[in-house]
Amino acid sequence: MKNPNLTLSGADLAALLASRICHDVVNPIGAAGNGLELLDEGGMDEDALQLIRQSTASATVHLKFARIAFGASGTLDTPLDTGEAETAARDLIGLGKRMTLNWSGPRINAPKNRVKLLLNLFLVAQSTIPRGGTIDVGLDAAGDIFAFIIRTRGNYVQMPADFARIYGGVMEEPITSHNVQPYYTALLAEESGMAIEFVVNEGEVVFEAKPAV
């Protein structure tokens, strides 16, 4: 049954996702610009150089992640390497100090939308532990099977409210650049024939994605 919340036109979805990506990179790009201004004012200052290094690294990581999670990353029908998805996720987690990522499972070339779903559900899972914690990703991929479990654990966990409402078909608020990523996750699940189950326990949230029956 088609999710009644998935009504955005292609143009509107593209515009909102573009806004989301710009939001992720505008701060590090702006910080790099500030570093260049410091250099212009005071010559070769090590603090300014360090600010530029960190900011450009952050922008690069976000753009590389977005290329796989949101973009075509080659032709539309080309499979995606789950190893590249793991690298993108590890690099994103590596930008901060509050989260640890454990990733297990085989490295394969899998259908593009399913790997994109993996990365987008990873982002949804990351939002459930805003104060930090551990993210465990377990991939089950053999032959035509592609399924995965993402478990987050932390001192404070929260329900992924927007995703729960959108995926459950009961979202009443409009889709904006702030909640378009959970929307896109639900859309990817439908387009790739995957079903998602999630449960919030004490201190953890568990997501399981597997082919819909």
Side-chain angles (χ1 to χ4, degrees):
M1 181 178 178
K2 185 173 177 60
N3 188 326
N5 280 338
L6 304 180
T7 59
L8 285 179
S9 69
D12 287 343
L13 176 61
L16 290 172
L17 283 176
S19 294
R20 159 65 194 251
I21 295 168
C22 290
H23 176 270
D24 287 343
V25 299
V26 68
N27 286 336
I29 292 297
N34 292 337
L36 290 173
E37 289 180 2
L38 290 174
L39 284 178
D40 289 339
E41 293 172 359
M44 297 298 290
D45 182 89
E46 182 58 34
D47 289 339
L49 288 174
Q50 185 63 17
L51 176 61
I52 294 169
R53 291 188 191 101
Q54 292 175 345
S55 301
T56 53
S58 176
T60 298
V61 165
H62 278 102
L63 287 172
K64 286 183 176 179
F65 187 96
R67 175 178 173 268
I68 301 175
F70 305 126
S73 187
T75 65
L76 293 174
D77 297 327
T78 303
L80 275 176
D81 180 358
T82 58
E84 290 187 20
E86 177 184 355
T87 298
R90 288 193 181 280
D91 288 346
L92 191 66
I93 289 294
L95 292 176
K97 305 293 185 182
R98 299 182 303 170
M99 296 185 186
T100 301
L101 174 61
N102 301 311
W103 187 294
S104 62
R107 178 172 183 170
I108 65 165
N109 289 320
K112 179 164 292 184
N113 275 355
R114 294 190 173 188
V115 180
K116 288 159 70 74
L117 173 62
L118 170 62
L119 286 181
N120 275 273
L121 198 59
F122 171 83
L123 287 179
V124 173
Q126 189 179 11
S127 72
T128 68
I129 46 173
R131 298 179 186 173
T134 301
I135 303 177
D136 297 321
V137 177
L139 186 60
D140 181 7
D144 294 332
I145 297 174
F146 187 88
F148 55 88
I149 294 177
I150 302 176
R151 177 181 283 104
T152 61
R153 291 170 292 172
N155 292 328
Y156 174 78
V157 299
Q158 63 183 18
M159 183 73 173
D162 281 341
F163 176 74
R165 289 193 291 266
I166 294 169
Y167 186 74
V170 294
M171 183 75 171
E172 297 179 355
E173 295 81 5
I175 302 301
T176 69
S177 60
H178 297 290
N179 59 19
V180 69
Q181 191 276 320
Y183 176 97
Y184 187 57
T185 306
L187 179 63
L188 285 170
E190 184 164 290
E191 293 291 327
S192 62
M194 297 283 283
I196 299 172
E197 296 179 358
F198 53 95
V199 61
V200 180
N201 299 317
E202 184 176 356
E204 72 171 12
V205 183
V206 181
F207 299 85
E208 183 175 5
K210 54 188 176 182
V213 177

